């Protein structure tokens, strides 16, 4: 992993000419200073802007997004707060049927196009959400620390390191032209090692979880590579991937898709492998006489419950992310076969199934490794031969003989007492 990081470490993302499309455009922070109402009839009569400024954010009546003639439009004055044009103002017309309505005092993001005419250089593209997002992140951090205490603090540190690896290694290395699959495997391995050892400590238990996660990641990589190629998935299915391909045509988009599958599966894999390893260790603490077969059988029963919930969680997570797309197919009244065969949905199906196979496989693999490591401390012992433990029984050892005889003798004594009372 260290060698991979050293060899693939990028010198920074290569520069390119801005296209002015999507995220690849200059932007500045701005504030809506004034909003006044005016008749949409006058707006339409003047070609979308009675002041001659930029048309409405998100479209104007002049370009076919017909506003109601008798509705009230708004003219918003926006002040640029950052950049070389700080303090400059411009106006935009907001139609009543637009999804984004501007309000006085609202913080917004504006796009800047220097080659456009002066009165059309700026336009509102989004709302500035930094304050609510920062507050939500703060609440999340407080909750994690209050509940997890020192482990919660270490988890937040590991999360920060994961973002650093993603931003300073994985993304720039892919943009430089390195193989996305190799970059994803090396980066995911680094994230996994740092996160697991930092949160759970240097121990045999953590090492077993690491090994189980690595084996499952390799399986996911192999299956993903085979089925992405077999299903002829290009990875270039929307505006964002199309823009990436246009700016950096040397990037293997199908490899980028596979890299996403590996990184997306890593978080859930960590949860499964750590849980299974902890379950085996706790079973051993409850019944030290159990050998590796008994530990494996008891651990795998716990794992089956975990499999059912995790697979369902993964499928619902992908379905939730693709919900708008699924709604479009539903509106078009397309058959299930047609929907599943489209590349947009096929990508999500392959992503979900490959990740789920890796998750399911991680349970027996990690459980077997954990059972072998625990049993290695007590050579010659095994579950079927353990005193008081039947084959595959994960329950605690049989209670002492005195406790049994006391319980058995208690019932006759209770009966004799009742007879004496009568």
């Amino acid at each position: 992993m260290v060698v991979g990081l050293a060899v693939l470490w990028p010198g920074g993302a290569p520069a390119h000419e801005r296209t002015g499309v999507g995220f690849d455009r200059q932007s500045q922070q701005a504030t809506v200073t004034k909003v006044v109402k005016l008749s949409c009839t006058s707006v339409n009569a003047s070609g979308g802007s009675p002041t001659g400024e930029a048309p409405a954010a998100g479209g104007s009546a002049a370009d076919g997004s017909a506003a109601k003639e008798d509705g009230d439009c708004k003219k918003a004055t926006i002040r640029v707060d950052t950049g070389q044009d700080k303090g400059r103002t411009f106006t935009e017309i907001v139609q009543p049927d637009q999804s984004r309505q501007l309000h006085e005092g609202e913080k917004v993001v504006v796009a800047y196009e220097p080659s456009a005419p002066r009165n059309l250089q700026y336009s509102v593209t989004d709302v500035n959400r930094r304050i609510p997002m920062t507050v939500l992140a703060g609440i999340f951090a407080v909750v994690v620390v209050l509940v997890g205490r020192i482990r919660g603090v270490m988890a937040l540190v590991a999360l920060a390191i994961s973002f650093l690896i993603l931003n300073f290694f994985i993304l720039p290395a892919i943009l430089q032209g390195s193989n996305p699959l190799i970059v994803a495997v090396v980066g995911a391995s680094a994230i996994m090692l740092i996160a697991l050892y930092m949160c759970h400590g240097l121990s045999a238990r953590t090492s077993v979880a690491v090994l189980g996660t690595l084996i499952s990641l390799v399986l996911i990589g192999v299956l993903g590579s085979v089925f992405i190629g077999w299903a002829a998935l290009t990875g270039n299915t929307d505006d964002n991937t199309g823009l990436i391909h246009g700016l950096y045509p040397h990037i293997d988009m199908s490899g980028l898709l596979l890299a996403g599958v590996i990184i997306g599966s890593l978080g859930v894999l960590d949860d499964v492998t750590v849980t299974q390893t902890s379950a085996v260790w706790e079973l051993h603490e409850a019944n030290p006489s159990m050998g590796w077969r008994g530990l494996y059988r008891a651990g795998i029963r716990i794992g089956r419950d975990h499999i059912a919930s995790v697979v369902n969680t993964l499928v619902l997570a992908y379905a939730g992310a693709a919900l708008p797309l699924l709604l479009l197919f539903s509106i078009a009244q397309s058959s299930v076969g047609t929907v599943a065969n489209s590349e947009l949905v096929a990508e999500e199906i392959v992503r979900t199934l490959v990740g789920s196979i890796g998750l399911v496989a991680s349970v027996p693999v990690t459980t077997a490794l954990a059972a072998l490591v625990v049993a290695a401390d007590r050579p010659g012992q095994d579950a079927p031969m353990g005193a008081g433990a039947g084959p595959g029984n994960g329950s605690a050892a049989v209670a002492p003989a005195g406790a049994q005889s006391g319980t058995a003798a208690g019932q006759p004594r209770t009966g004799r007492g009742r007879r004496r009372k009568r």
Side-chain angles (χ1 to χ4, degrees), residues 340-366:
N341 190 65
S342 66
E343 186 169 2
L344 275 171
V345 177
E347 275 190 6
E348 299 303 324
I349 292 175
V350 171
R351 193 195 311 267
T352 302
L353 295 182
V354 168
S356 298
I357 291 172
L359 288 174
V360 171
S362 70
V363 171
V365 169
T366 307

Side-chain angles (χ1 to χ4, degrees), residues 179-181 221 224-225 227-237 241 245 250-262 343 347 350-351:
N179 187 300
L181 175 58
S225 180
F227 283 94
I228 286 174
W230 193 4
L233 299 177
T234 64
N236 190 1
T237 54
T241 53
H245 185 65
H250 59 273
I251 294 179
D252 179 10
M253 299 305 294
S254 60
L256 188 62
L257 172 62
L258 179 56
V261 173
I262 292 174
E343 186 169 2
E347 275 190 6
V350 171
R351 193 195 311 267

Side-chain angles (χ1 to χ4, degrees), residues 88-305:
R88 177 178 166 182
T89 61
F90 65 97
T91 61
E92 281 199 358
I93 304 301
V94 183
Q95 303 287 355
D97 57 350
Q98 285 178 211
S99 58
R100 182 187 301 119
Q101 296 291 315
L102 301 179
H103 308 282
E104 188 170 328
E106 187 174 26
K107 300 293 183 179
V108 294
V109 179
V110 296
Y112 174 60
E113 179 49 62
S115 62
R118 180 173 174 79
N119 63 335
L120 298 177
Q121 287 181 334
Y122 284 96
S123 60
V124 177
T125 59
D126 210 342
V127 175
N128 189 331
R129 303 180 179 89
R130 292 184 178 180
I131 293 179
M133 298 292 283
T134 302
V135 171
L136 181 59
I139 294 173
F140 165 74
V142 170
V143 170
V144 170
V145 172
L146 286 177
V147 177
R149 298 187 179 180
I150 186 61
R151 285 185 181 270
V153 173
M154 300 307 295
L156 291 177
V157 174
L159 179 62
I161 294 175
S162 298
F163 275 113
L164 291 176
I165 293 174
L166 183 65
N167 287 319
F168 291 100
F169 172 70
I170 295 178
L171 299 180
I174 291 175
L175 289 177
Q176 269 197 345
S178 299
N179 187 300
L181 175 58
I182 298 176
V183 171
V185 170
V186 173
S189 300
I191 291 173
M192 174 195 62
L193 288 172
I194 293 172
L196 288 180
Y197 282 118
M198 183 172 289
C199 295
H200 303 285
L202 290 168
S203 63
R205 180 187 301 198
T206 306
S207 298
V208 169
V210 167
L211 186 57
T213 304
L214 280 174
I215 294 173
S216 302
L217 280 179
V218 170
L219 176 61
I220 289 173
V222 172
L223 287 176
S225 180
V226 169
F227 283 94
I228 286 174
W230 193 4
L233 299 177
T234 64
N236 190 1
T237 54
D238 56 23
D239 294 339
N240 292 327
T241 53
L243 179 60
I244 293 172
H245 185 65
L247 295 174
Y248 301 96
H250 59 273
I251 294 179
D252 179 10
M253 299 305 294
S254 60
L256 188 62
L257 172 62
L258 179 56
V261 173
I262 292 174
I263 294 173
S265 302
L266 177 60
V268 188
L269 271 177
D270 287 351
D271 173 47
V272 173
T273 54
V274 169
T275 301
Q276 285 303 115
T277 305
S278 296
V280 172
W281 250 262
E282 292 302 323
L283 287 168
H284 165 64
E285 293 294 331
N287 185 2
S289 65
M290 293 178 68
W292 77 268
R293 289 189 181 90
L295 289 170
Y296 176 79
R297 291 168 182 168
I300 205 68
R301 285 197 294 272
I302 298 172
R304 291 190 186 109
D305 292 335

Side-chain angles (χ1 to χ4, degrees), residues 290-384:
M290 293 178 68
W292 77 268
R293 289 189 181 90
L295 289 170
Y296 176 79
R297 291 168 182 168
I300 205 68
R301 285 197 294 272
I302 298 172
R304 291 190 186 109
D305 292 335
H306 205 181
I307 287 172
S309 60
V310 168
V311 169
N312 193 44
T313 299
L314 192 63
V315 171
L316 290 179
Y318 283 128
L323 198 57
L325 176 64
L326 298 177
L327 281 175
L328 288 177
F329 281 111
S330 180
I331 292 171
Q333 297 182 350
S334 301
S335 65
V336 175
T338 301
V339 172
N341 190 65
S342 66
E343 186 169 2
L344 275 171
V345 177
E347 275 190 6
E348 299 303 324
I349 292 175
V350 171
R351 193 195 311 267
T352 302
L353 295 182
V354 168
S356 298
I357 291 172
L359 288 174
V360 171
S362 70
V363 171
V365 169
T366 307
T367 305
L369 289 172
L372 287 171
V373 170
V374 171
D377 293 334
R378 302 174 320 283
Q381 294 184 358
D382 204 353

